[in-house]
Amino acid sequence: MKFATYHDGSRDGQLWVVSRDLTLAMPATGISASLLSAIEDWDAVSPRLASLYDRLNAGEEPFATRFEPQRCLAPLPRAPQWLDASAFLNHGRLMDKAFDNPPNPDFETIPLIYQGASDDFRGPLADVEFPDDALLIDMEGEFGVVLSDLPMGTTAEQAEAHVRLLVQINDWSLRALGPREMRAGFGFLQAKPSTAFAPLAITPDELGPHWAKGRVNLPLHVEINGREVGRARGDEMHFSFGQLIAHCARTRRLSAGTIVGSGTVSNADRNAGSSCISEIRVIELLDQGAARTPFLTWGDRVRMEARLPDGSAPFGVIDQSVVRT
């Protein structure tokens, strides 16, 4: 199934079901008001949502309308929790090498995950406002999962059964603020403004074989001002989503609607490009002796879409401009 959230003036928006080919949509009227409420009551409402989805794909909904991405908020405009990892070790290795960081003995065995703000997720086509471009504005292309209620102590093997939906993410970052906050030891706050999402949250079966071993096995195409800078694949995650979820649940329960992110999609093959400017600059520094690609400024545009082999984008497209507050 594919779900979108249309803006209706409420904080959580209105849940719509979208056809597989992204042409048609229907509100989930009488089934669930919002995607968050649907996830919280998944066992009861998912069969009815699946029936609506089947009718929509079969062209049997006479009141279906054209899918309108411009009306979309983030699939979950707010969520109980947002936990973002750094599961692509190539990205971490590049950063460590560039800045001569000391070895981390747990690098390959314990995932790095921070708890971010989840009260104000941004839609796929909304302009993103920042107070100052001197803060070094960067994007980060990621994949994520949305969970059902999860008990403390859930194992990696059990965790995948709690994945309800998959999402595509642009985790906006302010690089000038990150180093100080990391040195302070309390985690990110100012360095991580509101995160943006592609318009559609999808059930894992929508990807068929491209959801395997707890990973999204698709390339994430990233463009800056119309120029592709990355097409790294999601299957190079060192830690699976099951492992990330189990790490998060070791000492706490997780509420339905919790989102876990993969961190920047990054591949060892340099031909795959990069999903964030910081990685581009690190590679330039290592290969050419100096970073040349600038961070983002007013009017710059970022576009991201994961693509299936047939060229279609199962999550839809993130396409945002950077503007001054």
Side-chain angles (χ1 to χ4, degrees):
M1 291 180 280
K2 298 189 176 186
F3 302 105
T5 295
Y6 279 9
H7 178 64
D8 67 348
S10 69
R11 288 185 181 271
D12 293 313
Q14 183 185 33
L15 176 61
W16 284 61
V17 178
V18 181
S19 63
R20 182 169 289 114
D21 63 4
L22 311 190
T23 59
L24 298 174
M26 276 285 292
T29 305
I31 303 176
S32 192
S34 70
L35 185 55
L36 181 57
S37 64
I39 295 167
E40 290 174 333
D41 199 21
W42 188 257
D43 289 342
V45 303
S46 60
R48 297 172 64 195
L49 291 170
S51 178
L52 174 56
Y53 183 62
D54 289 342
R55 295 195 306 273
L56 195 61
N57 287 323
E60 296 173 354
E61 279 293 337
F63 299 106
T65 60
R66 178 174 56 88
F67 174 52
E68 299 176 81
Q70 66 272 18
R71 296 180 60 185
C72 288
L73 304 172
L76 288 170
R78 56 179 179 169
Q81 194 163 203
W82 160 230
L83 305 169
D84 198 18
S86 183
F88 290 86
L89 298 195
N90 179 68
H91 179 74
R93 289 190 181 104
L94 285 170
M95 298 298 169
D96 288 345
K97 186 175 181 180
F99 300 110
D100 198 25
N101 292 332
N104 174 1
D106 301 321
F107 185 66
E108 296 188 7
T109 56
I110 301 177
L112 295 173
I113 305 179
Y114 75 93
Q115 186 165 342
S118 61
D119 61 322
D120 183 34
F121 292 139
R122 303 304 303 272
L125 305 180
D127 291 343
V128 286
E129 309 96 347
F130 299 101
D132 189 346
D133 62 354
L135 297 176
L136 308 183
I137 303 166
D138 199 357
M139 80 283 184
E140 292 190 54
E142 307 187 16
F143 295 110
V145 295
V146 184
L147 305 178
S148 65
D149 285 316
L150 195 100
M152 182 169 62
T154 297
T155 67
E157 292 73 24
Q158 297 165 336
E160 196 172 321
H162 293 272
V163 173
R164 291 290 175 259
L165 300 168
L166 309 178
V167 290
Q168 178 192 309
I169 299 165
N170 183 1
D171 184 39
W172 290 97
S173 300
L174 300 174
R175 301 301 187 186
L177 301 175
R180 179 190 63 79
E181 293 189 328
M182 286 188 286
R183 287 194 304 270
F186 257 42
F188 295 121
L189 180 66
Q190 294 178 343
K192 289 292 186 178
S194 297
T195 302
F197 288 76
L200 298 170
I202 68 176
T203 50
D205 61 289
E206 289 294 322
L207 295 188
H210 305 289
W211 168 252
K213 298 181 180 179
R215 296 165 174 86
V216 176
N217 301 333
L218 294 176
L220 182 58
H221 293 262
V222 180
E223 296 179 3
I224 301 175
N225 297 327
R227 180 176 69 89
E228 186 175 84
V229 298
R231 52 185 180 277
R233 294 187 60 87
D235 47 344
E236 206 166 301
M237 279 175 71
H238 178 76
F239 299 102
S240 70
F241 275 111
Q243 291 172 302
L244 299 181
I245 296 163
H247 179 82
C248 296
R250 183 185 179 194
T251 60
R252 64 169 86 175
R253 298 175 296 177
L254 303 180
S255 298
T258 292
I259 304 171
V260 178
S262 67
T264 306
V265 179
S266 179
N267 292 174
D269 181 3
R270 297 280 179 87
N271 292 322
S274 300
S275 303
C276 72
I277 293 173
S278 288
E279 186 173 294
I280 296 171
R281 289 172 58 86
V282 164
I283 291 172
E284 290 171 341
L285 179 65
L286 294 172
D287 292 356
Q288 304 170 33
R292 293 178 169 82
T293 299
F295 287 101
L296 300 170
T297 189
W298 318 128
D300 283 342
R301 196 164 195 92
V302 174
R303 179 185 174 93
M304 297 181 179
E305 61 178 345
R307 294 180 191 163
L308 288 163
D310 65 4
S312 63
F315 301 97
V317 177
I318 297 174
D319 192 351
Q320 297 179 292
S321 289
V322 175
V323 300
R324 189 192 297 270
T325 302

